[in-house]
Amino acid sequence: MGFSGHLIFARNERPPLEAPVFGSSDPVLRDDVHEWWTRPGGWQTLQLSPGTWEDEYPFALVEWTGAPACVADVSDRSIALVTGLDTNGRRWQAWLNLDNAAALLVEEPEDVDDVSLWLATPEFEAAIGAKRAELDAEVPTNAAGALAWASVAGVQKAAQQSRGTSACTRCLRGGAVRRAAG
């Protein structure tokens, strides 16, 4: 079993733990935060346990930092739903490692009594294939959103390297989350 939880990426001269979202929230949240090293450009990373980060927190973090932020909700070090938010309130989301995400997101039929038996059926494989195709169709839009966010966030290298969505698309379709969380 690998890491599961949240990775928060924010940019500010002050430590993100000073943000009101951490000081005024549940003490369990503040005690459960682990700071990583500061990255080039002032980017800082916080690691939280699963279930401790709420959907409204990124808005408060962006407001406090005055800069875009990004959150990855990582499941067992192999899947992540990444959400970026810029200072204008524009938000994008993308799944990383689409094969594993499709298996996680596929809906069980209502008439299945034992899910473990359904997992070994051709119907399950077909359901994964359909969900994977659905996620794959969203990749160009997700990649464009991520690149626009990177540009606003001042992530020059990402914007310069891709010149379109091909590099970002490869990242979204591949297993990038293993490298980010590892």
Side-chain angles (χ1 to χ4, degrees), residues 36-98:
W36 289 13
W37 61 95
T38 300
R39 297 179 183 263
W43 285 96
Q44 299 174 55
T45 305
L46 301 176
Q47 175 185 327
L48 288 80
S49 294
T52 55
W53 189 252
E54 301 292 333
D55 287 340
E56 67 272 7
Y57 291 171
F59 294 98
L61 188 59
V62 167
E63 183 178 6
W64 181 77
T65 63
C70 188
V71 178
D73 185 358
V74 181
S75 297
D76 195 20
R77 195 178 175 205
S78 64
I79 305 167
L81 176 60
V82 181
T83 304
L85 183 67
D86 71 18
T87 55
N88 295 320
R90 287 184 302 250
R91 186 181 136 163
W92 62 271
Q93 284 190 309
W95 285 97
L96 299 182
N97 200 349
L98 296 182

Side-chain angles (χ1 to χ4, degrees), residues 1-179:
M1 184 125 188
F3 169 75
S4 291
H6 308 278
L7 297 175
I8 291 89
F9 305 94
R11 187 178 62 201
N12 199 309
E13 292 178 13
R14 296 172 24 203
L17 278 176
E18 292 180 11
V21 70
F22 296 107
S24 62
S25 62
D26 183 352
V28 173
L29 173 62
R30 186 168 177 83
D31 294 341
D32 201 30
V33 176
H34 305 284
E35 291 182 282
W36 289 13
W37 61 95
T38 300
R39 297 179 183 263
W43 285 96
Q44 299 174 55
T45 305
L46 301 176
Q47 175 185 327
L48 288 80
S49 294
T52 55
W53 189 252
E54 301 292 333
D55 287 340
E56 67 272 7
Y57 291 171
F59 294 98
L61 188 59
V62 167
E63 183 178 6
W64 181 77
T65 63
C70 188
V71 178
D73 185 358
V74 181
S75 297
D76 195 20
R77 195 178 175 205
S78 64
I79 305 167
L81 176 60
V82 181
T83 304
L85 183 67
D86 71 18
T87 55
N88 295 320
R90 287 184 302 250
R91 186 181 136 163
W92 62 271
Q93 284 190 309
W95 285 97
L96 299 182
N97 200 349
L98 296 182
D99 290 331
N100 289 359
L104 175 74
L105 296 172
V106 73
E107 294 182 30
E108 304 166 12
E110 291 181 20
D111 61 345
V112 171
D113 293 329
D114 186 349
V115 175
S116 65
L117 295 177
W118 180 61
L119 297 176
T121 66
E123 291 81 12
F124 177 69
E125 291 301 319
I128 289 177
K131 181 55 80 173
R132 174 66 160 93
E134 182 183 316
L135 293 174
D136 202 39
E138 297 172 0
V139 167
T141 301
N142 295 341
L147 287 172
W149 177 90
S151 178
V152 170
V155 183
Q156 298 297 326
K157 188 174 181 182
Q160 289 171 354
Q161 285 180 341
S162 63
R163 296 278 185 231
T165 60
S166 60
C168 195
T169 298
R170 283 191 303 277
C171 177
L172 295 179
R173 286 190 172 130
V177 76
R178 281 190 203 85
R179 292 186 298 276

